[in-house]
Amino acid sequence: MKKVIFIILVLALTLCFTVAAAEDADLLGKPFPDFTAIDTEGNTFALSEALKDHEAAVINIWATWCPPCNAEMGFLNEAYEQYGNRVAFIALSKEDDDTLEIIEAYRQERCLSFPMGRDEGEVLYQYTGGKGIPVTVIVDRFGNTAFLQTGSFLSADEVTRLIEAFLGDGYTETAALTEIPRDASTRAFPVSSARAIQVENENAKCVLFREEGTPVPQQVYVVHDDVAHLRLEITADDDPTVVTYYNYSDIVILQNLLDPERNAYVMDQPMPHPETETGDYYVFCIVAAEGDDLSNAPSVYLIPDEEYIERLAGDMCSWGYDATWEYGDYTSPGQEQTKAYILHIVDQDGEPVSGVMANFCTDTTCSLTQSDENGIISFDGAPDVYHIQLLKAPEGYSFDSDFELYTERTYGEWLLRIRKD
């Protein structure tokens, strides 16, 4: 089902996920060639000059037509606003048609602050391997290639963690990285027994499309509102910094969709208006991670009115799939009701941590618990609002002392990350 859509989706996700190719290692730790470029404001950027008064340089190679490039520009701009006095930034388009005037208009439209120009003749692009865009290079204070990535960043936090690795008095020699440092802060993320996309609009109707021979129906929701309110669920085996929500045009990591007050990942998805020039009548949404079999990833179609049910069925037939449909309720495969408060304790690499001690406290009592050999704490006290505090970690691990978590009066599960020192 959805063969055409999945081909498009695979291509988009392949471009957007971080990829550090093996051949990149041939450039790491070696001097990056000095170069000069004219930015859109007529200033000359010279790498060697920039490194005289900066601790590192971030070089981004992109093009205006590239969706993954567009998606990460805001993240780079946040990093520039934070580190621009310590780190030099330059974004260079490899596209022949991207004149300085076009690039400056692009820069102004997106309120970008860092310098932008052209990679004349694709010199830097070809030097870095020419495998795709965007490309990001970090050159350290010693003029050496310290990081090289083909693919877009998924959050400003990724850029921040990466840049921090090359700053400070402790950076005394080139220490090249092949991947972005993992987030080691103590955080809790809601998890469920299965991945799912739930539509929370009060009057939304679920329609189930069933392809012959396919055990799991495709979900379609009729949403008459201007916005579909989505709740996204992942499992304890998922990394919320890697799993993404995708809707054709936008890719957002779930960590950025966490609503701490609700203890849930939520997304307000604008609904299509078919009367517009585009004529789009549905939105296709999917939750997936790098390397997933996308045909098995949870997904939904969102349509604005019942009249489009038959039209969607007809489109599916045109893609080579005969599907019947019916109104009904949908339950995700493997979805089970949690019957306790469950913490899955892991380190920043996703490995379970045993021997972590935590308190479940109400206003009148506290219950001491400890993670088992699988890193799991299961507390089956009566449903209440519990204040969860970490008390002790085993040797070699630590946690942020100010971390705390409040539950609701219903059972639930969390992936709780502590730090492997």
Side-chain angles (χ1 to χ4, degrees):
M1 206 174 198
K2 310 182 296 297
K3 182 177 180 182
V4 174
I5 290 174
F6 281 129
I7 290 174
I8 296 172
L9 189 59
V10 170
L11 290 174
L13 291 178
T14 300
L15 283 172
C16 290
F17 281 122
T18 297
V19 178
E23 56 265 33
D24 292 350
D26 295 337
L27 304 179
L28 292 176
K30 298 178 181 178
F32 194 83
D34 193 15
F35 69 91
T36 60
I38 306 299
D39 70 22
T40 58
E41 296 183 334
N43 302 311
T44 299
F45 178 97
L47 178 61
S48 56
E49 290 298 314
L51 291 175
K52 288 181 179 179
D53 54 4
H54 293 87
E55 297 178 57
V58 175
I59 305 163
N60 183 259
I61 303 171
W62 63 291
T64 55
W65 52 260
C66 164
C69 305
N70 299 337
E72 72 173 0
M73 282 298 176
F75 306 145
L76 293 172
N77 199 64
E78 286 188 47
Y80 176 74
E81 296 288 349
Q82 183 174 354
Y83 297 103
N85 61 330
R86 302 175 64 187
V87 178
F89 283 69
I90 185 75
L92 302 171
S93 173
K94 63 173 284 294
E95 174 59 50
D96 287 342
D97 292 337
D98 285 346
T99 64
L100 288 178
E101 290 75 19
I102 289 175
I103 295 170
E104 177 60 14
Y106 175 99
R107 179 172 173 262
Q108 294 293 334
E109 179 183 354
R110 288 164 175 78
C111 300
L112 303 175
S113 304
F114 54 84
M116 307 183 79
R118 288 174 40 80
D119 176 21
E120 299 287 353
E122 297 188 354
V123 173
L124 296 182
Y125 175 65
Q126 295 301 329
Y127 177 80
T128 57
K131 296 180 292 295
I133 52 174
V135 177
T136 300
V137 181
I138 293 187
V139 180
D140 68 11
R141 67 189 68 182
F142 307 111
N144 296 323
T145 306
F147 179 80
L148 173 57
Q149 169 180 290
T150 302
S152 64
F153 293 103
L154 295 179
S155 69
D157 189 52
E158 280 191 343
V159 186
T160 297
R161 294 200 308 272
L162 181 62
I163 289 175
E164 285 284 353
F166 305 105
L167 303 183
D169 296 336
Y171 191 83
T172 57
E173 61 181 5
T174 296
L177 296 179
T178 57
E179 60 183 31
I180 300 169
R182 294 181 178 271
D183 186 355
S185 61
T186 305
R187 297 189 63 178
F189 302 96
V191 295
S192 302
S193 56
R195 283 194 204 167
I197 302 176
Q198 308 290 352
V199 178
E200 298 187 316
N201 296 65
E202 184 176 355
N203 297 319
K205 294 181 180 179
C206 182
V207 184
L208 303 178
F209 280 72
R210 299 182 185 274
E211 180 191 351
E212 184 177 356
T214 301
V216 180
Q218 173 62 57
Q219 301 175 80
V220 176
Y221 283 90
V222 180
V223 180
H224 295 288
D225 303 321
D226 290 336
V227 174
H229 304 295
L230 308 181
R231 187 179 78 251
L232 315 172
E233 299 177 357
I234 59 174
T235 72
D237 293 329
D238 291 321
D239 182 348
T241 67
V242 172
V243 178
T244 62
Y245 167 80
Y246 182 70
N247 64 1
Y248 280 139
S249 59
D250 298 319
I251 294 181
V252 188
I253 62 173
L254 258 66
Q255 176 177 267
N256 291 347
L257 298 177
L258 179 61
D259 181 344
E261 293 186 2
R262 288 193 55 193
N263 186 43
Y265 304 105
V266 296
M267 179 71 182
D268 282 346
Q269 174 61 56
M271 290 295 296
H273 295 282
E275 67 274 9
T276 61
E277 292 182 1
T278 62
D280 294 334
Y281 71 94
Y282 69 82
V283 177
F284 179 72
C285 310
I286 190 167
V287 173
E290 182 180 7
D292 279 354
D293 177 0
L294 297 180
S295 63
N296 294 324
S299 60
V300 297
Y301 287 85
L302 305 173
I303 59 176
D305 201 282
E306 282 87 345
E307 69 178 274
Y308 297 105
I309 296 175
E310 288 291 348
R311 181 173 172 182
L312 182 56
D315 281 348
M316 289 180 177
C317 289
S318 71
W319 300 333
Y321 303 100
D322 290 326
T324 61
W325 65 269
E326 62 185 358
Y327 290 104
D329 297 321
Y330 180 82
T331 301
S332 301
Q335 194 78 25
E336 300 173 358
Q337 186 67 36
T338 302
K339 298 180 180 180
Y341 294 100
I342 300 175
L343 305 179
H344 303 265
I345 316 291
V346 299
D347 62 22
Q348 63 264 39
D349 296 321
E351 296 298 322
V353 183
S354 61
V356 175
M357 300 181 69
N359 253 342
F360 282 73
C361 295
T362 64
D363 292 338
T364 59
T365 184
C366 284
S367 299
L368 183 63
T369 60
Q370 182 171 309
S371 59
D372 63 18
E373 65 275 8
N374 297 313
I376 296 175
I377 292 176
S378 182
F379 176 65
D380 59 0
D384 204 336
V385 176
Y386 288 96
H387 181 200
I388 302 176
Q389 297 171 299
L390 296 179
L391 301 180
K392 185 179 179 180
E395 185 177 355
Y397 296 87
S398 61
F399 53 85
D400 298 336
S401 59
D402 59 350
F403 170 80
E404 58 184 3
L405 172 67
Y406 286 89
T407 72
E408 297 181 353
R409 292 184 183 274
T410 54
Y411 293 132
E413 296 185 53
W414 293 264
L415 182 72
L416 201 161
R417 185 177 61 212
I418 67 172
R419 182 167 46 253
K420 184 177 182 180
D421 297 325

